[in-house]
């Protein structure tokens, strides 16, 4: 065995160790949390924690009896030397409890807190007169995804940045943030007799001098991309170039490409809809391109969220 092969074997064994230990680590963490969380009786209890619309942290917190009824309250997200406060509402419950509610918008791109990637501590700061007190927020049970026609959004619909609620080993609330995944997000699809127009945004990556590529059944149509502004791009394609050659429907997929070889499918993924095929359906249109037979054009989204344009020859067209 050569030195190169030996090194590769050692690397594989080293990388396999964490995978084998991961279930044990999860079990150990669960046991530690089961021991430590009940000991924190003086912490503020989080009754609800969730991230709505992919970018807003919603908190409902019950204060310990020792906190009384503070005059002011704010939620503070901190990491290292960075600290970002947001005003919260403090009030009495029907049975004399003290509650704090807060909605914390995340991300400078949407006018919220300018937090970066990483794990952010979430604490509660209360004031009464000149006295200030900082409380940890204890999340006993993590948020549970709900069922139904919609789902929790995993990313901001504006920036694509991802945020989720996490917990420390002691049960303290954390906000875990990450950059946007590389994606090409469709903003608008416009279909008319002359052609198809798609407006879209590029998130989490950069394309140098890109173009759009429509592909179906071994056919390829390349179209130029124009900029409508700093964030929105547009591609237009005449429907005559997408006319089916036979009686079977042709399904066109759309990719954004550039000279470096980078390519990404155009789609719509930053939403809370479980069935994008049905909810985001675009009207069908019967068109007759110059010199060609009539066809039906149907833009739609696949279950994975990818944009697909189906072109079918009209039955009576032969």
């Amino acid at each position: 065995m050569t030195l190169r092969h030996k090194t590769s074997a050692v690397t594989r064994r080293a990388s396999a160790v964490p995978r084998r230990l991961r279930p044990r680590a999860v079990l150990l963490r669960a046991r530690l949390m089961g021991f430590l969380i009940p000991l924190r009786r003086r912490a503020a209890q989080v009754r609800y924690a969730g991230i709505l619309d992919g970018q807003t942290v919603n908190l409902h917190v019950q204060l310990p009896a020792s906190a009384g009824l503070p005059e002011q309250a704010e939620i503070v997200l901190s990491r290292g030397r960075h600290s970002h406060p947001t005003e919260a509402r403090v009030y009495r419950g029907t049975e004399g409890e003290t509650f704090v509610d807060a909605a914390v918008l995340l991300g400078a791109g949407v006018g919220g807190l300018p937090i970066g990637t990483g794990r952010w501590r979430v604490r509660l700061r209360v004031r009464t007169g000149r006295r200030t007190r900082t409380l940890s927020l204890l999340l006993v049970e993590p948020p549970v995804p709900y069922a139904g026609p919609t789902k929790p959004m995993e990313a901001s619909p504006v920036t694509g940045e991802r945020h989720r609620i996490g917990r420390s080993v002691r049960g303290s609330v954390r906000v875990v943030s990450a950059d946007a995944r590389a994606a090409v997000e469709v903003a608008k699809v416009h279909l008319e007799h002359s052609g198809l127009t798609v407006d879209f945004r590029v998130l989490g990556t950069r394309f140098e001098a890109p173009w759009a590529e429509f592909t179906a059944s071994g056919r390829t149509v390349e179209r130029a991309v124009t900029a409508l502004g700093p964030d929105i791009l547009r591609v237009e394609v005449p429907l005559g170039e997408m006319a089916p050659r036979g009686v079977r429907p042709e399904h066109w997929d759309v990719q954004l490409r550039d000279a470096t070889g980078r390519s990404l499918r155009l789609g719509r993924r930053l939403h809370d809809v479980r069935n994008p095929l049905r909810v985001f359906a675009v009207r069908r249109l019967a068109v007759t391109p110059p010199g060609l037979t009539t066809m039906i054009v149907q833009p739609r989204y696949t279950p994975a969220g990818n944009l697909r344009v189906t072109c079918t020859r009209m039955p009576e067209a032969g």
Side-chain angles (χ1 to χ4, degrees):
M1 180 181 291
T2 65
L3 177 61
R4 179 181 178 182
H5 290 159
K6 289 181 180 178
T7 303
S8 299
V10 172
T11 302
R12 285 195 299 270
R13 287 197 296 271
S15 61
V17 170
R19 294 192 184 97
R20 292 198 300 268
L21 294 179
R22 193 170 301 165
R24 295 183 182 179
V26 172
L27 180 60
L28 177 60
R29 176 183 172 88
R31 289 178 176 176
L32 283 173
M33 294 182 74
F35 173 75
L36 294 174
I37 288 177
L39 300 178
R40 304 184 62 195
R41 298 176 182 177
R42 296 183 178 180
Q45 301 282 327
V46 178
R47 299 305 183 189
Y48 173 80
I51 296 183
L52 305 183
D53 66 23
Q55 57 193 15
T56 305
V57 178
N58 282 258
L59 295 170
H60 176 57
V61 181
Q62 181 176 349
L63 272 60
S66 60
L69 180 64
E71 297 174 356
Q72 294 179 316
E74 57 186 7
I75 298 296
V76 182
L77 271 67
S78 60
R79 184 169 184 265
R81 297 181 179 180
H82 301 283
S83 181
H84 305 290
T86 298
E87 185 178 354
R89 184 171 75 95
V90 58
Y91 60 97
R92 285 287 192 192
T94 57
E95 298 181 2
E97 320 96 313
T98 302
F99 293 109
V100 171
D101 290 345
V104 184
L105 183 61
L106 304 177
V110 293
L113 301 185
I115 67 172
T117 60
R119 298 177 63 87
W120 291 79
R121 291 193 298 174
V122 185
R123 290 177 293 181
L124 175 65
R125 189 157 60 202
V126 295
R127 293 188 180 92
T128 300
R130 296 182 179 181
R131 183 186 178 190
T132 300
R133 181 180 178 185
T134 300
L135 301 171
S136 295
L137 298 181
L138 178 62
L139 181 61
V140 177
E141 296 292 337
V144 178
Y146 52 83
T150 61
K151 60 183 180 180
M153 292 193 65
E154 299 178 352
S156 164
V158 179
T159 65
E161 295 173 349
R162 295 166 288 155
H163 311 286
R164 65 177 177 85
I165 298 294
R167 293 189 298 171
S168 71
V169 71
R170 300 181 68 237
S172 297
V173 176
R174 299 287 187 264
V175 169
V176 185
S177 298
D179 291 331
R181 290 191 176 97
V184 182
E185 182 76 5
V186 173
K188 181 180 180 182
V189 177
H190 184 64
L191 178 63
E192 55 186 15
H193 289 274
S194 60
L196 175 72
T197 301
V198 182
D199 296 341
F200 58 91
R201 298 178 294 144
V202 178
L203 301 172
T205 187
R206 296 184 63 183
F207 280 80
E208 300 295 336
W211 69 87
E213 187 175 273
F214 295 74
T215 57
S217 303
R219 300 167 57 189
T220 299
V221 175
E222 294 183 356
R223 301 296 298 178
V225 170
T226 57
L228 298 183
D231 300 319
I232 298 293
L233 301 174
R234 169 174 289 181
V235 59
E236 300 175 281
V237 57
L239 292 175
E241 298 188 23
M242 303 171 67
R245 293 179 176 178
V247 295
R248 294 184 177 181
E250 292 191 355
H251 307 287
W252 294 85
D253 295 321
V254 192
Q255 297 185 79
L256 189 67
R257 304 181 63 92
D258 69 7
T260 67
R262 182 186 299 272
S263 66
L264 284 174
R265 292 277 294 274
L266 271 69
R268 190 168 181 180
R269 304 174 184 88
L270 299 181
H271 56 77
D272 61 353
V273 174
R274 295 189 186 274
N275 189 350
L277 178 62
R278 176 179 300 177
V279 176
F280 298 134
V282 183
R283 67 186 179 94
R284 298 191 305 168
L285 185 65
V287 300
T288 306
L292 299 173
T293 58
T294 302
M295 66 176 182
I296 298 175
V297 182
Q298 173 67 73
R300 59 189 179 88
Y301 296 95
T302 69
N306 297 318
L307 176 64
R308 179 168 290 170
V309 183
T310 299
C311 298
T312 309
R313 180 180 295 184
M314 288 281 286
E316 57 269 25

